[in-house]
Amino acid sequence: MTSERQDELVVIALGGNALQRYGQRGTFEEQLENARVTAKQIVRLIRRGYRVVITHGNGPQVGAILLQQELASEQVPPMPLHACGAMSQGLIGYMIQQSLINELRAQGMEVPVATVITQVLVREDDPAFKNPTKFVGPWFSEEMAKKKMAEGWLMKYDVGKGWRRVVPSPDPIAQVEVEAIRRMVNSGIVVIASGGGGVPVVEKMGELRGVDAVIDKDLAGERLATLLGANLFVILTDVEKVALNYKKPNEVLLDVMNDEEAERYYREGHFPPGNMGPKVLASIRFVRNGGRMAIITKLDKLLEALDGKTGTRIVPK
Ligand code: ADP
Ligand code: MG
């Protein structure tokens, strides 16, 4: 594994679709198969000599786990949302690490891989607790959504896809386990961390306590990338490039934007909260905090995007 990229640390944020595609039911087999496809791409990166830290979303999975808690509550005590977040980290980390290990072995590479259950500090008085915006779980028809909302769910319309439950999504401050992750990375371990944006915790008189929310994995990914001093932050989702006037007749796909341009487009409302908004915001923060470049693209375009051939690059001005 000799390469000019040996010192390059890249944090990769995997979108929900990297494990559960829109339209899939989310069976274990489906998710594992998606994890395999994802692992293939990531191993190509490791082969090139990049040091890699992986983070991932958990929207579909944590929503499903939450629903299971509610449906089984008469027989098994339901776990709170933050504990569901930890469960989703374990489940998804397991699938990704097994797929990575299998793919590395198939290619004759001996690289250790491990998942770190990660807590992320948030502010107890974060305004997000009063205004839930984060989509979790399956998409519902309008009719079903009305029923669920009557039962007390907070739901919003995910444009073009359907109705979905929303939960508070506070701004991440830092990964509690960042020092453990750093030491693992420095010793050559491929680390999967801060899954699902991390388990949100508040600190009170020195003690950590879980809170019911789901942190955006892109914003948490920026924190991880910045705190680890990563050179590159790559956000993999289901679009190859970020667009202005998305899905409108005057749509324009972006190859590159600097942080000031990105901020202007963000303010103009091109990137909605809950999907593209936090990706662009996380990218702006990353380059303003010293990162060299953030890239937003599709999973199967990962290497091409790193070579500058596709994707949307966000760079410092
Ligand atoms: P992930 O699971 O990868 O985080 P999201 O659904 O949260 O995916 O965000 C990606 C989605 O953002 C795309 O599928 C697309 O529908 C939507 N989107 C909204 N605005 C834009 C835009 N300006 N450019 C590209 N995609 C956009
Ligand atoms: Mg998302």
Side-chain angles (χ1 to χ4, degrees):
M1 272 208 328
T2 47
S3 150
E4 71 282 11
R5 297 201 177 83
Q6 250 169 26
D7 294 328
E8 294 244 279
L9 176 61
V10 44
V11 171
I12 302 175
L14 299 172
N17 61 296
L19 281 166
Q20 185 170 338
R21 303 220 161 84
Y22 176 68
Q24 287 186 335
R25 282 181 62 230
T27 64
F28 180 77
E29 290 73 21
E30 275 172 355
Q31 296 194 52
L32 189 65
E33 182 50 35
N34 296 334
R36 277 176 206 268
V37 173
T38 302
K40 277 213 160 63
Q41 295 297 326
I42 292 172
V43 168
R44 291 174 70 194
L45 216 70
I46 298 169
R47 192 170 258 297
R48 281 209 191 175
Y50 286 98
R51 292 184 297 146
V52 174
V53 172
I54 299 157
T55 187
H56 57 82
N58 71 346
Q61 295 83 1
V62 78
I65 293 169
L66 193 60
L67 190 59
Q68 286 170 340
Q69 305 305 307
E70 288 174 0
L71 293 175
S73 64
E74 309 249 304
Q75 292 179 44
V76 185
M79 294 292 134
L81 180 55
H82 54 89
C84 294
M87 287 192 241
S88 75
Q89 284 189 2
L91 170 67
I92 299 168
Y94 160 55
M95 292 188 286
I96 297 176
Q97 87 190 21
Q98 186 179 75
S99 303
L100 276 174
I101 291 168
N102 284 340
E103 181 64 22
L104 286 163
R105 282 193 185 156
Q107 299 203 22
M109 294 164 78
E110 276 301 323
V111 184
V113 181
T115 300
V116 176
I117 300 294
T118 311
Q119 306 173 84
V120 170
L121 213 55
V122 300
R123 289 164 55 112
E124 194 167 22
D125 60 356
D126 192 302
F129 286 106
K130 295 205 174 91
N131 176 32
T133 54
K134 175 78 188 150
F135 291 120
V136 295
W139 287 264
F140 291 91
S141 67
E142 189 168 348
E143 197 191 334
M144 270 304 285
K146 278 188 179 151
K147 258 172 99 177
K148 288 290 182 190
M149 285 189 277
E151 287 170 15
W153 281 20
L154 251 153
M155 298 186 82
K156 284 187 180 159
Y157 188 64
D158 189 2
V159 181
K161 291 179 178 170
W163 287 82
R164 262 183 116 180
R165 189 169 189 177
V166 286
V167 297
S169 192
D171 213 16
I173 300 169
Q175 279 73 18
V176 175
E177 291 78 9
V178 69
E179 208 39 55
I181 298 164
R182 185 195 314 282
R183 292 185 203 184
M184 291 169 77
V185 171
N186 287 345
S187 67
I189 300 172
V190 172
V191 181
I192 301 152
S194 197
V199 178
V201 295
V202 294
E203 194 172 339
K204 260 195 165 168
M205 292 189 289
E207 269 201 11
L208 300 174
R209 185 169 50 79
V211 287
D212 283 336
V214 175
I215 300 170
D216 183 86
K217 67 101 179 33
D218 298 310
L219 296 179
E222 181 279 323
R223 294 286 65 217
L224 186 63
T226 295
L227 295 171
L228 291 175
N231 314 81
L232 298 166
F233 179 40
V234 180
I235 299 175
L236 297 177
T237 183
D238 56 359
V239 290
E240 189 168 333
K241 293 181 185 188
V242 179
L244 297 180
N245 306 309
Y246 180 63
K247 293 237 160 130
K248 291 185 190 145
N250 56 343
E251 181 180 83
V252 183
L253 299 179
L254 297 164
D255 293 319
V256 59
M257 51 182 167
N258 68 42
D259 59 294
E260 281 181 14
E261 292 163 336
E263 188 175 7
R264 191 172 75 238
Y265 301 145
Y266 185 88
R267 284 180 199 278
E268 286 169 2
H270 290 280
F271 318 125
N275 53 45
M276 192 47 75
K279 297 184 201 309
V280 173
L281 186 58
S283 301
I284 294 171
R285 288 180 179 175
F286 179 66
V287 299
R288 288 189 177 166
N289 285 325
R292 185 156 62 75
M293 185 182 11
I295 301 172
I296 301 173
T297 193
K298 245 181 157 148
L299 175 66
D300 53 338
K301 302 288 177 185
L302 175 58
L303 283 193
E304 268 180 74
L306 279 169
D307 290 339
K309 291 180 192 147
T310 188
T312 300
R313 280 162 284 149
I314 297 91
V315 295
K317 200 191 164 195

